[in-house]
Amino acid sequence: GELKFLCMEKAEFAVDIEKKECDGRIVYGERGMDEVRFLISANPGEPLKPLSKIASGGELSRIMLAIKTSLADADRIPTLIFDEIDTGISGRAAQAVADKLNVISRTHQVICITHLPQIASYADTHFCISKSSTDNSTSTSVKPLDSKERISEIARMLGGKKLTELTIKHAEEMLRMAHENKR
């Protein structure tokens, strides 16, 4: 169900758990006695195959979000961190991820590092993270954005370096629509 919500309507997902054996005896290793593989068929008619071998970046992002969503309540994890959950997605899938993160945020704290305006526009609090480097060092800064800075940052995510009146209006509309959808 989670995969369908995230624009993977035809996907099939399974978990394969096998005991590690050697000469008919169960073998215990540093990670226990089970070998666990996630299997997926992203498209109809394709057999289930190991996730690690066939999933694209966008599929991996959405599958990870679906797994974390499914386990969040069972594990009672108060904070979920998603680092670039938007890898390889855009458009409708990005909006679905934003919607899902919004749902999760009603019962968990969500920290999300993203490059997509669809996702960033749903944030309750928006920070801009930037890096600067010299020959000898790199530093990272984290700056909370006020409402005006937030519009500029969303516009930058939409249009790149140069902000135009149109990208600013688009950013304002995205933030307004996200606010409405969150209610």
Side-chain angles (χ1 to χ4, degrees):
E2 296 293 340
L3 291 173
K4 284 177 181 40
F5 184 90
L6 295 169
C7 301
M8 295 182 73
E9 294 87 358
K10 307 287 184 182
E12 289 183 51
F13 181 81
V15 180
D16 181 36
I17 303 172
E18 293 182 4
K19 301 276 185 242
K20 295 179 197 173
E21 291 187 24
C22 183
D23 298 327
R25 296 180 54 189
I26 295 176
V27 178
Y28 294 88
E30 63 185 37
R31 294 185 175 179
M33 65 180 181
D34 296 321
E35 287 187 20
V36 179
R37 293 185 317 157
F38 293 141
L39 305 173
I40 185 117
S41 170
N43 301 302
E46 293 181 4
L48 291 166
K49 294 182 182 173
L51 175 64
S52 60
K53 297 193 188 292
I54 65 159
S56 69
E59 289 168 341
L60 281 173
S61 296
R62 288 179 283 164
I63 291 164
M64 193 67 232
L65 178 57
I67 290 169
K68 279 190 167 190
T69 300
S70 297
L71 295 176
D73 289 329
D75 286 348
R76 301 193 195 299
I77 298 169
T79 302
L80 298 172
I81 300 171
F82 297 98
D83 185 2
E84 298 187 16
I85 197 73
D86 55 16
T87 300
I89 63 170
S90 62
R92 191 172 72 113
Q95 186 62 51
V97 168
D99 291 337
K100 179 54 66 179
L101 291 171
N102 179 50
V103 170
I104 296 169
S105 74
R106 293 178 187 157
T107 55
H108 298 78
Q109 178 184 31
V110 173
I111 298 171
C112 182
I113 298 165
T114 185
H115 297 283
L116 291 180
Q118 291 97 323
I119 294 172
S121 64
Y122 272 75
D124 292 329
T125 306
H126 191 152
F127 296 87
C128 182
I129 301 171
S130 58
K131 285 185 185 180
S132 59
S133 298
T134 64
D135 289 339
N136 300 330
S137 68
T138 300
S139 64
T140 303
S141 67
V142 180
K143 180 183 187 289
L145 301 179
D146 63 26
S147 59
K148 188 175 180 183
E149 291 168 323
R150 188 165 185 215
I151 292 166
S152 294
E153 183 60 19
I154 298 288
R156 187 196 59 75
M157 294 169 98
L158 286 163
K161 213 171 174 179
K162 185 177 178 181
L163 301 183
T164 66
E165 187 177 325
L166 187 58
T167 56
I168 290 169
K169 285 193 183 308
H170 190 184
E172 290 170 339
E173 180 183 36
M174 286 188 85
L175 288 163
R176 181 187 52 75
M177 289 173 64
H179 180 73
E180 289 174 8
N181 288 340
K182 285 168 49 172
R183 286 197 253 151

